[in-house]
Structure formats: C-alpha cells, structure tokens
Amino acid sequence: MRTPSGPVAGAPTVLKVVIAGGFGAGKTTAVGAVSEITPLSTEEHLTEASTNVDSLAGVEAKQTTTVAFDFGRLSLPDAPVPLELFLFGTPGQDRFVDLWYDLSRGAVGAVVLVDTRRLESSFTPVSFFEDIGLPFVVAMNHFDGAHRYHPEQVRAALELPASVPVVTCDARDPNHVAGVLLTLVRHAVKNTPAGPGHPTPATTLQDA
C-alpha cells in the first residue's frame, strides 16, 4: 500500500505508539480502555506449562497473557495538532524481547506501564527503550490496594534521568490513558531531532 508523500491538508497526524511494561502491568487494559475501535487482542489463557516462566507473584488473579500484541486506535481531534494514534501493546515477558524490536519499528515513542508492586519487572522494558534510543515515558499504574509512591521515588528506583517524564495513571480510565499518551507525544516531539536523518512525523502511518 502506497502512503502519501507529504501531509494532507486537514488530515490528522498519524503516529505509532508502543505500550510496554512488565508481565501484568496493565497494557491490554490500557489499550482497551482508550481505543475507539474494538481492540485486537492476542491474549491466551495461562496454563500450568507456563508456571515456571511466568511468575504470578503479586498478580495471582491473572488468567490470560498477551502472546503477540494488542492493537487499538485513538483519535485526538482537539489536541493542539489533531492526532490519530495507532497503539501497539507488547507482551510483557522478557522472552518476547525480539518481538519488541518489531513492534517498536517506526514508533514515535513508548509508554512503559509500571506496577509498583512488582517494580523489578519494569527494568527490562526501561533498558530496552534506552538501548534503542526510542523516547519513552513511565506511567505508574495505580492498582487497587497498592501503595502509592511519589513519581520521584519511582524515578530513583528505576534510575531514570530527569528528562524522562514519570506520571501516574489508572489504566482502566480512558482519560488517564489519553493524558499519558499526550505526555508521550509532547516528550517525543521535544526529543526527536529535526533534519534529514530525523524527519518530523508526517501524516502517514509510520511502519505500523
């Protein structure tokens, strides 16, 4: 399929966004909460065969897991620049890191959802996006009954530089998730150099 060579008058800016995080951090929930279309989900039921590789400590009620990716779409016509976001949720387990590369290709940036009850599961996705140089924000997902930490406490625990936004959200709340996505877009635009080697995002779907 051929894409337009430049912006189309009146058309929104179309951007690809990755939603990542550890196992059970709320990625599928976030995509489903905010998507204006019925989200594509590749969730499968957890089985006894996975008990040795997928620890349910802290998320004992979890019964399914994403095995490929989640996909959703969100239009933000009232943003300072009208946006259409294509959302790709990654599987959370470290063994799917190779797939993360494919899902991140062409993305403007990523949201790393953090479960503060299992903070250790966030180190791999944070390191991944640091290594590939993709702008990202960290969003602390507020689970019911979980202790509430200040964003700067999580920044220190994850050893994040001051330039990486750390925000709070409830992945079940569409307004919260949309706010996190807008924070990411602003951060990504600010941290993506303009020029021949780093083109400004245009109104085309970027390698999605």
Side-chain angles (χ1 to χ4, degrees):
M1 181 177 68
R2 297 176 62 89
T3 55
S5 59
V8 178
T13 295
V14 179
L15 300 174
K16 178 181 180 181
V17 171
V18 176
I19 298 181
F23 179 61
K27 302 174 293 296
T28 299
T29 299
V31 172
V34 81
S35 179
E36 65 196 14
I37 62 173
T38 300
L40 169 66
S41 179
T42 58
E43 286 209 312
E44 295 292 343
H45 286 280
L46 292 166
T47 66
E48 291 186 7
S50 70
T51 56
N52 291 329
V53 290
D54 295 332
S55 172
L56 293 177
V59 287
E60 289 81 4
K62 186 172 177 60
Q63 297 180 345
T64 60
T65 185
T66 298
V67 296
F69 62 88
D70 299 312
F71 174 75
R73 186 185 71 202
L74 174 64
S75 297
L76 296 169
D78 297 326
V81 175
L83 298 172
E84 188 169 1
L85 304 181
F86 285 72
L87 311 174
F88 288 79
T90 70
Q93 298 92 322
D94 293 358
R95 66 180 183 274
F96 290 113
V97 166
D98 286 345
L99 180 58
W100 298 0
Y101 284 101
D102 293 331
L103 293 176
S104 299
R105 184 179 179 185
V108 70
V111 173
V112 177
L113 277 175
V114 167
D115 179 355
T116 56
R117 303 168 303 174
R118 310 167 82 234
L119 194 60
E120 68 281 356
S121 67
S122 302
F123 284 97
T124 298
V126 165
S127 296
F128 175 82
F129 293 116
E130 288 178 336
D131 290 344
I132 68 173
L134 188 68
F136 69 96
V137 302
V138 168
M140 300 183 299
N141 188 9
H142 278 174
F143 286 86
D144 292 338
H147 181 76
R148 299 295 190 251
Y149 292 93
H150 190 277
E152 292 308 309
Q153 292 177 289
V154 171
R155 181 189 305 282
L158 295 176
E159 300 181 342
L160 297 170
S163 58
V164 175
V166 180
V167 298
T168 61
C169 78
D170 183 334
R172 300 166 296 185
D173 188 317
N175 291 327
H176 282 207
V177 179
V180 172
L181 293 170
L182 282 173
T183 298
L184 170 65
V185 171
R186 288 193 293 265
H187 175 64
V189 169
K190 180 180 177 181
N191 289 276
T192 301
H198 302 276
T200 300
T203 52
T204 57
L205 179 58
Q206 301 182 30
D207 293 332

